[in-house]
Amino acid sequence: MKTTVKQYFGQGLGYFLFIAFIGYFSTGPSFSNMPADQALIKFTFTHPGKRLVPCVKRSAAEMANLPPQLRYNMVCSRERAPLQVEFEIDGQMVYQLEIPAKGFRNDMPSPVYERFNVPAGRHHLRVRMRDNVTDEGFTFSAEKTVVLAPLQILVVDFDEINKEFTFE
């Protein structure tokens, strides 16, 4: 079979149209998931609550009565306390929830994820969390005043190493 100039031209035109189609939809039409004068605050973290029942140390006599594979020095319950979380923006409570521990035996961290669209500008943020059932007050709290630019994203997270809330 002999190819002609018309076939090469048709094939080239087909490739050009395909590349133009892909090129256009890779950059346009533009899309934004929030208005241009808004900013976004993401409130997200996972944190395990304290154990509901404290660990108990076994005595030497108790350990001697157990088979070797069960001789653990400490006996600990796996169940964890629910988290009580509050989040305020400019003095208004926007998130207040008790989050139970996850997992089959309620022994996994409790996840928190919420998004808040706010007008760009200055905002005062306050976050509090209680991770046990024995204390009356909140275990962790933080406050910060931030200035958000339009379309800026601020993440409020909990740093497990330093045991504090971060605003990044």
Side-chain angles (χ1 to χ4, degrees), residues 58 62-73:
R58 287 184 173 157
E62 288 175 319
M63 289 179 55
N65 291 335
L66 294 172
Q69 70 270 20
L70 297 179
R71 291 182 185 163
Y72 302 116
N73 193 18

Side-chain angles (χ1 to χ4, degrees), residues 16-163:
F16 175 76
L17 291 174
F18 179 72
I19 291 170
F21 177 79
I22 297 296
Y24 173 74
F25 284 108
S26 67
T27 59
S30 64
F31 172 77
S32 177
N33 59 352
M34 63 182 167
D37 62 339
Q38 297 279 305
L40 178 66
I41 299 175
K42 289 185 179 183
F43 183 49
T44 176
F45 63 91
T46 58
H47 180 71
K50 301 288 185 208
R51 294 184 191 275
L52 284 178
V53 179
C55 294
V56 177
K57 186 172 177 138
R58 287 184 173 157
S59 67
E62 288 175 319
M63 289 179 55
N65 291 335
L66 294 172
Q69 70 270 20
L70 297 179
R71 291 182 185 163
Y72 302 116
N73 193 18
M74 299 289 276
V75 177
C76 296
S77 168
R78 293 176 65 172
E79 192 172 5
R80 300 215 174 245
L83 294 184
Q84 293 178 345
V85 181
E86 292 183 354
F87 187 56
E88 293 180 11
I89 300 175
D90 297 328
Q92 180 182 355
M93 185 69 64
V94 293
Y95 187 83
Q96 184 176 24
L97 197 61
E98 181 174 297
I99 303 129
K102 298 297 179 194
F104 184 65
R105 296 184 182 200
N106 296 330
D107 58 346
M108 302 291 291
S110 302
V112 175
Y113 180 80
E114 196 66 41
R115 299 167 46 120
F116 304 101
N117 283 344
V118 295
R122 180 179 301 274
H123 297 282
H124 183 75
L125 308 176
R126 181 178 178 196
V127 59
R128 300 185 297 178
M129 175 176 67
R130 179 180 18 239
D131 65 352
N132 59 51
V133 293
T134 57
D135 292 344
E136 285 296 316
F138 286 93
T139 315
F140 304 100
S141 64
E143 289 188 49
K144 186 166 187 176
T145 300
V146 295
V147 177
L148 300 174
L151 300 178
Q152 180 180 353
I153 298 173
L154 174 74
V155 178
V156 180
D157 194 3
F158 186 77
D159 183 2
E160 288 292 334
I161 296 170
N162 297 323
K163 301 293 185 196

